[in-house]
Amino acid sequence: MPVHKPDLKLNNLRDDDEVDLGVPSAYTVSSGSSSRPSLSFAFDLPPISPRRTSMFSPSSPDLSKVAASRPSLSRSQTLPRNMDIATRPRKNIITIDVEDEVVANIRRWILGIAVVDFDVDHGPVMDGTFPNIHLLPTEIENIAFSSFPDSLQFEQGSQSHSFRIREAKGSFIHGFAHFTQRRDITSKRGYEQRSVVILTQHHYPTLFTTLSSVFGPLFEKHGVPMLETACHNIATWSDPKPGAILELGFLGSVLHVELPQSIDHQQLTDTSSFREKYNPSIHTLAAACPFFPPPILLFEASISHLWSIWECVVLCEPILIFGASPSQTSQAVWWLRDLLRPIPLAGDIRPYFTIHDRDHATLVNKLPPKAGVLLGVTNPFFERECAHWPHVLSLGRRIPPTKGIMKPPGPNPGWKTKTHKRYISKDQHLLARLESSFRGSDAERLAASLDLRRHFCSRTNELLIPLTRYLNTLIPTPTEVKKGNMRLKPFSSSAFFASLKEHGSTLPFKSTSKRKDFYERWLKTPAFGLWLAQQEQIVKGVLEKSLESK
C-alpha cells in the first residue's frame, strides 16, 4: 500500500495521538482517522553513567532577567491561528505531519529543535526532535546533558545558553538552549525542568540565541503547536546566502539579520549593511557575540587584563573559562572567538562543556591542553582537573569576602596566568571609560561593550597589517601569471622580519624586542598556517579572474 507524504498542518495535531516510547527506530507510519499518516519518532537513552550530577536550576538570575527578544514589526503569518491552545508537550514523543520539502527547507537553517526533560531516575532525557534527526545514543546523551545547567542558583526561572558538541563523524552541532524550571507538586522532586534546544550547523550565535529566547517562553506557554509554527516560519525563510541582509519572520517578530560573508568575516557595527544606523536592539549581526546582557559585565573582575587575554586568544593559548552559569560561559566564549576574526579559528571552542561530554577525556586530562582551546565550564570539578592549564578566566564581579557567607564554588572572578607576559600596551583612556561604565546605566554598559569590541577587532586587523604588507611582495608578476603561476612565492620568516623591522607595526608594542617575540610566537601557531593558506586561495582566485577577463 503506498504511503502518502504527510504535510505540515497545525490542525492535524491531537493529544489523543500519544503512544508509548519505543526503541530506537526510524520513522514509523501510523494510521489514524486522518487520511494522512503521521511521522512519529522516539528513542530510549542508554543507562546514564553513575557520575551524573543532579541538576536543579538555571543560574545567574542577573543574566536571566535580560531577554534577547526583538521588537515586533509585523506579526502576520508568524503565529498559530489559535493562540489559546495550552497543550503541554507530549512525554517521550512528538508527532507532527511534515512534508519532505518542508524538512529540506527547515534544514537550510537548522537541523531541528529538541525537547529535553529531566527524569528523576535518568537525569536529562531527550523526548525527541522535530524534524527527526538521526542521532547516535552518545550524541543524544551529549545534547541532553549540555541542554541543562549543572549549578544551583534559584528555585524558579529560565535562562538561555549555547553549546557545541562533536558528532561521531567529526563535524560539530551547535545547540542553543532555553532552560526553564518551575514548581510542580506532581513531580517527585517538586520541580518541572525542561530545555528546548535549537540544533544547527551554522555558527550564528546572536541569531540563534535570539530565536531561542523568543521561542522558549512561547513553547512553555503553548506547547507543541508553537514548535510546529516555529519550524514552519523557518521553512519560509530564504536561503542563508553569505553576506545576505534578511528580514526573518519568527513567532510574531521580524528579525533584521545580516549574515557574514564567511565564518571568519568580521561583522562590524560601523560597517553593517542595514539601511539605518546599527541598533543592537533591532539589528542582528548573526555571527557576532550576543550583546544582551552587555558582555562587559562578564569581565568586570578582569577588565584590566583584557589586553593579555586578547593576546592569549590570538596566540592560540588554551584558556579555561569558568562561570556561574552556562549563560555566562557561552556568551564569553563567543565574545572571545569573535575578537579573533578575521584570523581563522584553529582550536576547539566549547561555549558550555560538561563532564558528560564524549570529548571530556580528550580535552581534559593530565596532558598539556590543546592549542587554541576555549573551554567554558561551570562545574568546580574542572578547577581541580585543569589545575595544570596555563590560563584561567573566571567571569563576573569580584566580591570581597564577607564573614559568615561561604565563598561560591570555583575560582575567584578574575584572570590568572602562569606563563603569559603582555607584549602590547593597554589603552588607558579606554580602560578608564570601561571602569566608569560599571557604575553607569545598562545603556552605558552596552555602549562600553561595543567600544571594547571595536577596539579589539581593530587590534586584530592591525596585527595582520605587517603580514599582508609582506605577502604583497610574494604575489606573482604579470609575466609569471601569464605562464600559469598563480601561487604566492614561499613565505620566508627572515624576509618577513626584515620587512617588519623596516616598516614597523601600528600595534603599540612595549618595545621592538617584544614586537619581534610576539610575531615569532604567532608564526608558530596553527592559526598562522590556516590564515596563510586562506590568503593563498584568495590571491589565486583574484589572479585567475584577472586572467579570464583579459
Side-chain angles (χ1 to χ4, degrees), residues 461-473:
N461 280 299
E462 288 181 87
L463 182 159
L464 296 173
I465 289 174
L467 288 144
T468 54
R469 181 193 297 121
Y470 169 66
L471 287 192
N472 284 333
T473 67

Side-chain angles (χ1 to χ4, degrees), residues 11 13 45 55 63 93 119 122 150 232 251 254-255 282 284 319 348 367 369 378 428 438 501 522 546:
N11 296 338
L13 192 66
L45 278 176
M55 299 185 188
L63 295 182
I93 193 166
D119 183 277
H122 298 290
D150 57 7
H232 180 73
L251 301 181
V254 172
L255 311 180
I282 60 176
T284 300
I319 305 176
D348 196 351
L367 298 174
T378 63
Q428 295 294 344
F438 292 123
K501 184 177 180 180
W522 197 72
S546 66

Side-chain angles (χ1 to χ4, degrees), residues 70-300:
R70 302 295 195 247
S72 174
L73 302 182
S74 170
R75 299 173 63 83
S76 174
Q77 307 299 321
T78 61
L79 287 173
R81 292 188 295 275
N82 181 5
M83 287 295 293
D84 296 328
I85 298 174
T87 307
R88 301 300 302 162
R90 297 176 180 79
K91 192 69 176 175
N92 299 330
I93 193 166
I94 299 172
T95 305
I96 300 178
D97 296 344
V98 58
E99 284 272 8
D100 290 345
E101 183 180 355
V102 174
V103 172
N105 287 338
I106 292 169
R107 293 249 160 89
R108 295 171 304 161
W109 286 91
I110 67 172
L111 301 174
I113 299 178
V115 179
V116 183
D117 280 316
F118 191 93
D119 183 277
V120 70
D121 297 317
H122 298 290
V125 177
M126 189 189 293
D127 287 337
T129 61
F130 175 74
N132 184 39
I133 307 172
H134 176 69
L135 296 167
L136 298 176
T138 54
E139 294 169 337
I140 293 169
E141 180 181 356
N142 205 351
I143 292 170
F145 274 99
S146 299
S147 301
F148 273 61
D150 57 7
S151 54
L152 175 63
Q153 291 290 318
F154 55 76
E155 292 186 351
Q156 296 193 90
S158 62
Q159 70 150 22
S160 292
H161 71 273
S162 57
F163 57 87
R164 183 175 185 253
I165 64 168
R166 190 188 304 274
E167 294 181 276
K169 59 185 180 182
S171 56
F172 287 92
I173 295 176
H174 299 83
F176 295 84
H178 184 86
F179 170 82
T180 301
Q181 174 172 295
R182 55 187 172 192
R183 290 189 179 277
D184 181 2
I185 59 174
T186 65
S187 171
K188 294 179 184 179
R189 305 170 76 242
Y191 294 93
E192 178 188 65
Q193 295 171 306
R194 175 179 293 116
S195 278
V196 288
V197 190
I198 298 174
L199 301 171
T200 177
Q201 66 275 36
H202 294 296
H203 305 236
Y204 298 156
T206 297
L207 172 61
F208 289 111
T209 296
T210 301
L211 297 183
S212 172
S213 298
V214 171
F215 171 68
L218 290 173
F219 179 82
E220 284 302 309
K221 184 176 182 180
H222 300 287
V224 172
M226 197 56 65
L227 169 64
E228 182 180 7
T229 305
C231 289
H232 180 73
N233 288 169
I234 294 172
T236 64
W237 295 353
S238 56
D239 292 342
K241 296 179 180 178
I245 308 297
L246 304 170
E247 290 188 355
L248 305 178
F250 188 71
L251 301 181
S253 297
V254 172
L255 311 180
H256 295 261
V257 180
E258 178 189 276
L259 300 183
Q261 294 288 348
S262 70
I263 196 56
D264 296 315
H265 174 69
Q266 207 170 56
Q267 289 188 280
L268 300 176
T269 56
D270 296 338
T271 58
S272 60
S273 302
F274 301 108
R275 295 178 181 177
E276 54 192 341
K277 184 178 179 181
Y278 174 78
N279 181 344
S281 297
I282 60 176
H283 298 138
T284 300
L285 299 176
C289 161
F291 295 137
F292 297 99
I296 195 173
L297 294 171
L298 301 170
F299 308 106
E300 186 166 355

